[in-house]
Amino acid sequence: MKLSEQWLREWIDPKLSREQLIEKLNLSGLAVESCEPYENDFVFEFELTPNRGDCLSVLGIAREIAALTHTKLDRNGGACDTHIKLHADLIPVEIKSPKACPLYIGRVIKNIKPGVATPKDIQQKLLKSGIKLIHPVVDIMNFVMIELGQPLHAFDLQKINSKVIVRQAKSGEEIVLLDNQKIKLDKNILVIADNEKPIAMAGIMGGLDSGVTASTTEIFIESAHFSPELIAGDARRYGLHTDASHRFERGVDPALPEIAIKRATELLKEIYGDLAISDLIIKSDKKTLPKTPKIKLRTKRVTELLGYEIPEKKSLEILESLNMMVSKNTVVPPSYRFDISQEVDLIEEIARVYGYEHVPTLSETRTVKPLISHENIKPLSQIKNKLVSLGYQEVVSYSFISELLQNKISPGRDGAWPRPNVLENPLSAELAVMRSSLWGSLIEIVQHNLNRQQEYLKFFETGLCFKDKEEPVLSGIWAGLSHAEQWGEKKRDVDFFDLKNTLEQLNSELIYKSAEHPALYPAQTAELFLNGKSVGFCGALHPELQKSFDINIPVFLFEIDLYAVTHKTVPAYQAISKFPSIRRDISLVMNKKVSAQALQEAIQKIAGPILQEVAVFDVYKQNIALRLLFQLVERTLVEDEVTRLMNKIIAELTQQFDVTLRT
């Protein structure tokens, strides 16, 4: 925001030097980005944080300076129109959305004379504030907005059909804005309308058809309070950003509309002389108007939070200088301070005005206790280092993604997969929902690199997914080649077992079971289990998804609960047998689909502790070959007992899985 120094000095103590102004404002957190000469004046440019919407005006900055310098405002921004003769007709006003617009004030003014110019001093103040000159009526609306902080809008009265209605837009309605942009309105957007059509997007921009032009002779001025919670994001949704929306989104003082419209009326009368001016048309819903909170302030709490003591009397003086009502230990902030709602906000204000330069420097001695290292927990850094050693690169992406991308990865069909958590006020359509998986961002990163001729891509990310609750997960993606091209090994594409090897390196206790996932290819998808609990998925990207992302190389992904890789079973000592082991190999013909995991689990259960190892060593078509290693700690095994056990294993496998022994 830009402001003329001369304009600002109309409101504050003239004895304050420019350097004092800049120093005080910077120390209080209202940063002065620059102070540039402009003809016979200087222009301040302020960088305000989003919570200080009350300072987006000359009045707001002047109030802050008065509080910081312990002086009084030379003006109070008030307006009085008792001297104005009222004799213009009224126009009916109706509010159909009181929650979004709890207060709407209007006024009809006639006898606007074409050809009259905006006074030079007002022109200069607007230009120094970065505001374009348009028409005397529009210039006055902008002038009052910069001076007091209340956006106003003027309609050509003759272009309004019968009445003014504040309502939600109807589905399919359109409006051409003052910047000639045609907008198709969403049904949740608040609009100002007449009996026929919308004539403005409330709190954002007026319509071209009802705008003031050089031939306008009668106007209707709007001065309203729009709820920041319900209007925030409406401008961004359409790619718009106006001075009005910038203020309304941050909150505008509900006490200002009447003051501002009276101030605008006085200025118009000074420019045009004899005007026909109506009484104020005031429509309000007191139930939905913002309420100022009553906040308890404890001196002890001030000291606890700040770490140093400020005298109670000084604290209360500071709050009073900020126009807060103080009664004993109860504080009521002014209506324009939307950012103050609890005790900690008051304490922040006390520290800010008291001066951060007064915070004492203290030396403190503490006893440092060593952190306890738990043997069953692997640090996240160790997991990341392991993945990096396997050739992966870490990436960091936004927690928000587009709804289109979210639905591709997790479509929410049949209630099996979580539906996206849609943001009420997204930064953009590309960041509209909270992700329920990290895969969407990883796939886009692969797509981005693939478009730049990369063919060996391995990425991982750790972060939160948002389903029924926040869940920390580890996700990875491997696309293209199984290894960087080299002379010592033939070039080949990545496959499922390459990805499985990565997971085995992270946790060898994971169990893999055939499963389905909407983002993965059914024939190459596994659900991951640990201690009987599902902890994630891995597999090949679904061909339809590959096509939608225009990816023509194999892509494999995994996503696993972070807990499953950071927690491990503590090794326990087992005696090493001094007796020889007996190895038996069996080759089975599979008559139906059976997983190797199921076979191994069944064999281990049948054999019991005598079986030290069971592993697959060959697979050919419908055949699978398994190696079984038998051994006891206390004695030597006899061939006959191993033979009997093998017969039992084969018999039960045949019964359970319909397998036959290959001879």
Side-chain angles (χ1 to χ4, degrees):
M1 183 185 73
K2 294 181 178 180
L3 279 184
S4 155
E5 182 185 0
Q6 288 181 1
W7 195 358
L8 191 57
R9 287 193 177 279
E10 292 177 9
W11 293 71
I12 62 173
D13 186 348
K15 297 175 185 176
L16 291 169
S17 68
R18 188 178 304 121
E19 290 72 22
Q20 285 177 307
L21 285 178
I22 294 172
E23 181 186 11
K24 286 290 185 182
L25 289 168
N26 283 334
L27 286 173
S28 72
L30 303 180
V32 180
E33 289 288 291
S34 62
C35 179
E36 301 293 336
Y38 189 111
E39 296 179 354
N40 61 339
D41 194 2
F42 279 83
V43 174
F44 293 119
E45 184 167 0
F46 297 93
E47 185 67 31
L48 301 175
T49 51
N51 64 310
R52 295 309 306 270
D54 62 295
C55 289
L56 290 167
S57 63
V58 178
L59 171 61
I61 296 294
R63 273 192 305 239
E64 281 296 305
I65 293 171
L68 295 169
T69 58
H70 313 293
T71 57
K72 290 186 177 181
L73 290 180
D74 279 3
R75 298 171 56 181
N76 59 19
C80 177
D81 55 5
T82 54
H83 62 286
I84 292 175
K85 189 176 180 181
L86 306 174
H87 52 76
D89 298 329
L90 300 177
I91 184 171
V93 173
E94 182 181 357
I95 300 178
K96 290 187 176 181
S97 300
K99 286 186 178 180
C101 179
L103 174 64
Y104 190 93
I105 301 178
R107 168 167 270 172
V108 173
I109 298 179
K110 297 182 179 180
N111 298 339
I112 300 293
K113 302 173 185 67
V116 176
T118 305
K120 290 290 184 183
D121 63 324
I122 292 179
Q123 287 187 28
Q124 286 298 308
K125 288 175 179 177
L126 288 174
L127 289 172
K128 291 171 187 176
S129 298
I131 304 294
K132 293 180 181 179
L133 302 176
I134 299 172
H135 180 282
V137 171
V138 180
D139 293 345
I140 292 303
M141 301 302 112
N142 287 331
F143 181 87
V144 174
M145 177 184 68
I146 299 298
E147 183 180 56
L148 302 181
Q150 171 68 44
L152 302 173
H153 185 69
F155 300 93
D156 188 319
L157 182 65
Q158 295 178 344
K159 297 174 183 177
I160 298 176
N161 188 330
S162 302
K163 65 188 301 186
V164 172
I165 307 168
V166 185
R167 61 170 172 83
Q168 306 296 131
K170 298 172 184 176
S171 183
E173 281 189 318
E174 294 182 339
I175 185 172
V176 179
L177 299 176
L178 288 169
D179 62 357
N180 290 303
Q181 186 176 351
K182 189 175 184 180
I183 297 289
K184 187 174 182 179
L185 296 167
D186 184 272
K187 64 181 180 180
N188 295 320
I189 295 293
L190 189 70
V191 297
I192 312 300
D194 59 16
N195 263 344
E196 292 182 342
K197 62 189 182 304
I199 56 176
M201 289 177 72
I204 300 173
M205 191 183 295
L208 184 65
D209 293 342
S210 61
V212 172
T213 64
S215 60
T216 297
T217 58
E218 299 176 354
I219 61 173
F220 173 75
I221 302 177
E222 164 192 284
S223 183
H225 177 77
F226 298 114
S227 172
E229 294 83 7
L230 296 177
I231 207 164
D234 286 355
R236 283 199 300 271
R237 196 182 310 177
Y238 293 95
L240 301 170
H241 182 79
T242 64
D243 291 312
S245 68
H246 188 74
R247 286 163 173 79
F248 280 126
E249 285 179 350
R250 286 155 177 77
V252 177
D253 184 1
L256 265 181
E258 185 172 348
I259 296 171
I261 200 168
K262 288 179 178 180
R263 172 69 171 148
T265 304
E266 286 186 343
L267 292 170
L268 288 171
K269 194 171 185 302
E270 288 176 11
I271 295 174
Y272 289 105
D274 188 23
L275 294 173
I277 302 167
S278 80
D279 201 350
L280 293 179
I281 308 160
I282 302 176
K283 297 291 180 178
S284 67
D285 186 337
K286 293 182 179 179
K287 292 180 181 178
T288 53
L289 275 169
K291 306 292 189 300
T292 51
K294 293 182 179 180
I295 307 168
K296 290 286 185 183
L297 180 66
R298 298 163 292 175
T299 304
K300 183 180 178 182
R301 188 60 177 156
V302 175
T303 305
E304 285 176 353
L305 283 185
L306 298 182
Y308 61 97
E309 188 174 348
I310 297 177
E312 182 179 6
K313 184 179 178 182
K314 183 64 178 176
S315 296
L316 299 180
E317 285 177 356
I318 288 171
L319 295 176
E320 287 175 343
S321 73
L322 292 168
N323 296 324
M324 300 190 194
M325 292 177 59
V326 180
S327 176
K328 294 183 179 179
N329 292 327
T330 302
V331 180
V332 179
S335 56
Y336 53 81
R337 289 302 299 269
F338 282 79
D339 58 319
I340 297 178
S341 60
Q342 50 191 330
E343 186 180 34
V344 68
D345 299 326
L346 296 176
I347 296 171
E348 183 182 3
E349 289 299 289
I350 291 168
R352 182 176 68 84
V353 177
Y354 186 67
Y356 298 129
E357 69 276 15
H358 295 136
V359 176
T361 302
L362 301 174
S363 297
E364 191 168 333
T365 304
R366 288 179 178 265
T367 302
V368 179
K369 296 181 180 180
L371 292 173
I372 298 173
S373 178
H374 297 281
E375 194 177 355
N376 67 325
I377 299 176
K378 290 188 281 187
L380 182 57
S381 59
Q382 185 178 328
I383 302 297
K384 291 182 177 182
N385 288 339
K386 184 66 179 177
L387 285 166
V388 170
S389 72
L390 293 172
Y392 287 82
Q393 297 181 64
E394 184 178 12
V395 297
V396 179
S397 60
Y398 288 113
S399 296
F400 318 116
I401 59 175
S402 71
E403 191 166 2
L404 177 64
L405 179 58
Q406 171 67 31
N407 288 334
K408 282 184 177 182
I409 302 302
S410 183
R413 63 185 184 192
D414 302 327
W417 305 99
R419 293 198 175 275
N421 296 303
V422 181
L423 299 178
E424 291 185 2
N425 183 23
L427 293 171
S428 70
E430 297 303 311
L431 302 169
V433 301
M434 303 295 288
R435 64 188 180 191
S436 64
S437 170
L438 305 187
W439 284 350
S441 302
L442 290 173
I443 294 169
E444 286 189 327
I445 290 167
V446 163
Q447 182 189 42
H448 178 85
N449 282 271
L450 186 61
N451 291 339
R452 285 151 183 80
Q453 291 98 28
Q454 301 301 307
E455 53 182 8
Y456 174 59
L457 302 167
K458 297 172 77 174
F459 302 106
F460 78 91
E461 181 175 6
T462 59
L464 292 174
C465 286
F466 303 87
K467 300 176 185 177
D468 295 331
K469 59 181 181 179
E470 293 182 0
E471 297 178 7
V473 300
L474 166 65
S475 291
I477 191 166
W478 191 340
L481 299 177
S482 65
H483 54 270
E485 193 172 0
Q486 53 155 301
W487 63 269
E489 191 174 345
K490 288 184 179 180
K491 183 178 177 181
R492 69 172 179 85
D493 288 336
V494 61
D495 61 26
F496 180 88
F497 296 100
D498 290 318
L499 187 75
K500 186 180 178 185
N501 178 60
T502 294
L503 292 167
E504 291 284 347
Q505 299 271 1
L506 298 176
N507 191 336
S508 59
E509 297 176 7
L510 291 171
I511 302 299
Y512 303 79
K513 293 185 179 180
S514 180
E516 289 189 3
H517 188 287
L520 301 178
Y521 187 50
Q524 297 188 56
T525 300
E527 189 169 3
L528 307 173
F529 289 85
L530 184 64
N531 301 324
K533 180 185 175 183
S534 174
V535 293
F537 285 88
C538 67
L541 184 63
H542 199 288
E544 290 182 5
L545 270 179
Q546 276 193 258
K547 187 177 179 181
S548 70
F549 283 102
D550 195 24
I551 295 175
N552 56 7
I553 58 175
V555 178
F556 287 83
L557 309 105
F558 70 84
E559 188 159 273
I560 185 170
D561 292 352
L562 201 56
Y563 182 92
V565 291
T566 56
H567 289 69
K568 61 181 180 177
T569 303
V570 179
Y573 171 77
Q574 285 184 324
I576 299 172
S577 177
K578 60 183 178 180
F579 301 102
S581 61
I582 296 176
R583 170 175 170 166
R584 293 292 176 87
D585 295 344
I586 55 173
S587 182
L588 302 174
V589 178
M590 316 295 288
N591 298 317
K592 61 180 181 179
K593 278 190 175 181
V594 181
S595 70
Q597 182 70 44
L599 284 174
Q600 289 173 288
E601 288 177 355
I603 292 170
Q604 187 70 63
K605 186 176 180 181
I606 297 164
I610 191 173
L611 180 64
Q612 298 298 314
E613 182 185 333
V614 55
V616 178
F617 69 87
D618 192 22
V619 176
Y620 178 71
K621 293 184 180 179
Q622 289 292 96
N623 300 341
I624 185 169
L626 297 154
R627 178 181 72 250
L628 284 69
L629 200 65
F630 300 93
Q631 190 178 36
L632 286 174
V633 175
E634 65 275 7
R635 64 179 175 85
T636 302
L637 279 171
V638 180
E639 285 285 342
D640 285 347
E641 61 183 320
V642 174
T643 300
R644 287 195 300 272
L645 187 54
M646 285 297 299
N647 291 335
K648 181 182 178 182
I649 290 170
I650 292 166
E652 295 215 17
L653 291 180
T654 302
Q655 185 178 357
Q656 284 187 46
F657 302 108
D658 190 26
V659 300
T660 55
L661 192 64
R662 184 169 179 265
T663 55

